[in-house]
Amino acid sequence: MGTRLEAFCNITTDLQAIEPSIDSFDRKRLIQNFQAHSGSVYVAFSSGYVSQSYVDGKEMNMQTQLSDVDSSDDAFYDSSADALYVFSAVDPDNLVYEGSEDWATIKQRVVNEQADHIRSYINRPIFRRTKAEDQGASSREYDFILINSNAGLAVASLVSPIDPQRGQDIREQYISPDSDGMLDLLKKGEYNLWHEASYEQNEGRISPVSVNASTTGGILDTRIVNLPIVTYDDVRVKITSGGTFQSGTANTTITYSVFIKNDDGLATYEAVKDELINGSYQNLAYGMDIRWGEGVYTTNDEWSIIIMGDQDENGPIKSEQISRR
């Protein structure tokens, strides 16, 4: 049965971003003391578990039974005898044989384990960003802090058997004895994940939806007095009549409208209709204001403003002693 959970990082570039030489920690070990078995087939006993063998650094063809070891670079591991059989036209002592697991399989397993570790450690919901509009500058489906932490902890685990100090140093960047690692700070609420309400989203997270290449103006600021009176909305702001807005010239043409949610869905109710831009703080929605900058505006320019009214309470639960007087 397949899992519904997945890792946050990949097993290539994300790991290399933490440790450029990560592939040198591939857990290969030398296999020696081969002896003739039959014809060009040789065997090394007490080899230790081998799911992938290598000859002079090249992957061998792993067979499922000894009788199939009949051509160059074939190999078979017999778990009951703890023996590796190889086909070689020359004395194996003249070549370098190594045993391990498939490196991609090892990396994927460790990355998956550390993703589970992160879920358990931060102990709060994690959601994928399936919409491109939510994926930020990196265009990734998970927050950078999750991607980087998953890769970092995986690298620490892969490095530690060979270089324990390096592994510990990497791990403590994320989970530190001083509780100042990246995941420690996320757990304490000093970082927010993309879907969690934050001060930024209280004031509105602005992103362009469709802005003409010739447009030079835009939204400069939003303003709140109290928390917005909405739990969540993807407010859409559209230019309904374009033109050039500049200081010293009265604006009589450039207008905007604001669309908010209602019972029928998002951006379905027009809360502000064709209001002239004036450069001051003007109506947005939910008790919030918006301010436009100078520049060129094009009809149908559109921005999204994600608004959340309640901040998520993340961090440790605090307790207090109560006494009777």
Side-chain angles (χ1 to χ4, degrees):
M1 181 176 177
T3 178
R4 295 182 179 179
L5 300 178
E6 61 185 357
F8 309 122
C9 69
N10 63 43
I11 63 172
T12 53
T13 55
D14 290 334
L15 301 188
Q16 290 169 349
I18 305 296
E19 175 53 70
S21 62
I22 186 61
D23 290 331
S24 66
F25 295 89
D26 58 7
R27 299 185 180 179
K28 290 179 186 153
R29 63 188 186 280
L30 283 174
I31 298 179
Q32 299 173 310
N33 302 319
F34 281 92
Q35 59 191 44
H37 172 69
S38 175
S40 295
V41 177
Y42 295 81
V43 60
F45 292 103
S46 301
S47 63
Y49 176 71
V50 177
S51 67
Q52 181 61 59
S53 59
Y54 304 81
V55 56
D56 290 341
K58 182 175 68 173
E59 282 193 0
M60 302 186 71
N61 306 316
M62 299 302 296
Q63 305 297 337
T64 58
Q65 54 189 10
L66 178 56
S67 59
D68 291 334
V69 180
D70 56 10
S71 59
S72 180
D73 296 338
D74 281 354
F76 166 69
Y77 174 70
D78 184 347
S79 58
S80 62
D82 189 21
L84 180 68
Y85 295 83
V86 300
F87 186 97
S88 178
V90 300
D91 186 344
D93 288 339
N94 296 327
L95 303 172
V96 176
Y97 283 90
E98 296 171 299
S100 181
E101 285 185 80
D102 176 72
W103 180 224
T105 301
I106 294 174
K107 290 189 292 182
Q108 190 64 67
R109 182 177 66 245
V110 173
V111 161
N112 291 346
E113 290 169 349
Q114 295 306 322
D116 288 343
H117 183 187
I118 289 171
R119 288 186 176 92
S120 177
Y121 185 71
I122 67 173
N123 193 29
R124 66 200 216 222
I126 296 173
F127 299 101
R128 292 172 59 194
R129 300 182 289 192
T130 54
K131 287 176 57 181
E133 295 91 336
D134 294 329
Q135 290 177 356
S138 66
S139 298
R140 301 286 294 270
E141 291 188 341
Y142 288 104
D143 296 82
F144 169 79
I145 190 171
L146 296 174
I147 294 170
N148 186 259
S149 297
N150 194 173
L153 291 178
V155 167
S157 180
L158 292 166
V159 165
S160 289
I162 298 172
D163 189 342
Q165 186 59 54
R166 174 67 174 148
Q168 181 179 337
D169 291 343
I170 294 173
R171 175 184 168 80
E172 289 183 1
Q173 295 178 37
Y174 303 95
I175 301 176
S176 167
D178 298 324
S179 298
D180 58 358
M182 189 180 291
L183 286 176
D184 297 319
L185 298 179
L186 175 62
K187 185 173 183 177
K188 290 191 290 186
E190 295 186 33
Y191 287 117
N192 284 84
L193 300 178
W194 73 275
H195 60 277
E196 296 172 341
S198 63
Y199 288 111
E200 176 194 15
Q201 289 169 323
N202 290 156
E203 295 201 2
R205 176 182 292 167
I206 303 169
S207 59
V209 175
S210 176
V211 177
N212 191 281
S214 62
T215 296
T216 58
I219 300 169
L220 294 185
D221 193 18
T222 58
R223 182 178 67 177
I224 61 172
V225 176
N226 298 306
L227 286 177
I229 49 177
V230 64
T231 53
Y232 171 87
D233 199 1
D234 182 356
V235 176
R236 297 301 176 98
V237 183
K238 296 182 180 180
I239 297 297
T240 51
S241 178
T244 300
F245 179 58
Q246 59 185 12
S247 178
T249 302
N251 173 37
T252 60
T253 60
I254 309 170
T255 59
Y256 74 96
S257 293
V258 177
F259 297 84
I260 63 174
K261 69 177 182 178
N262 64 10
D263 292 341
D264 296 324
L266 297 173
T268 52
Y269 176 74
E270 192 170 16
V272 176
K273 181 177 176 62
D274 297 333
E275 184 165 333
L276 286 167
I277 289 174
N278 62 25
S280 184
Y281 284 97
Q282 299 177 256
N283 292 330
L284 178 61
Y286 306 116
M288 299 178 62
D289 295 327
I290 192 173
R291 184 165 66 87
W292 297 93
E294 296 182 58
V296 175
Y297 291 88
T298 306
T299 302
N300 293 324
D301 284 345
E302 182 179 351
W303 290 265
S304 163
I305 304 179
I306 301 295
I307 299 172
M308 291 183 176
D310 298 322
Q311 293 178 29
D312 288 328
E313 296 293 334
N314 296 310
I317 299 174
K318 297 180 180 179
S319 61
E320 184 174 345
Q321 185 174 2
I322 300 175
S323 60
R324 175 180 292 178
R325 293 185 177 180

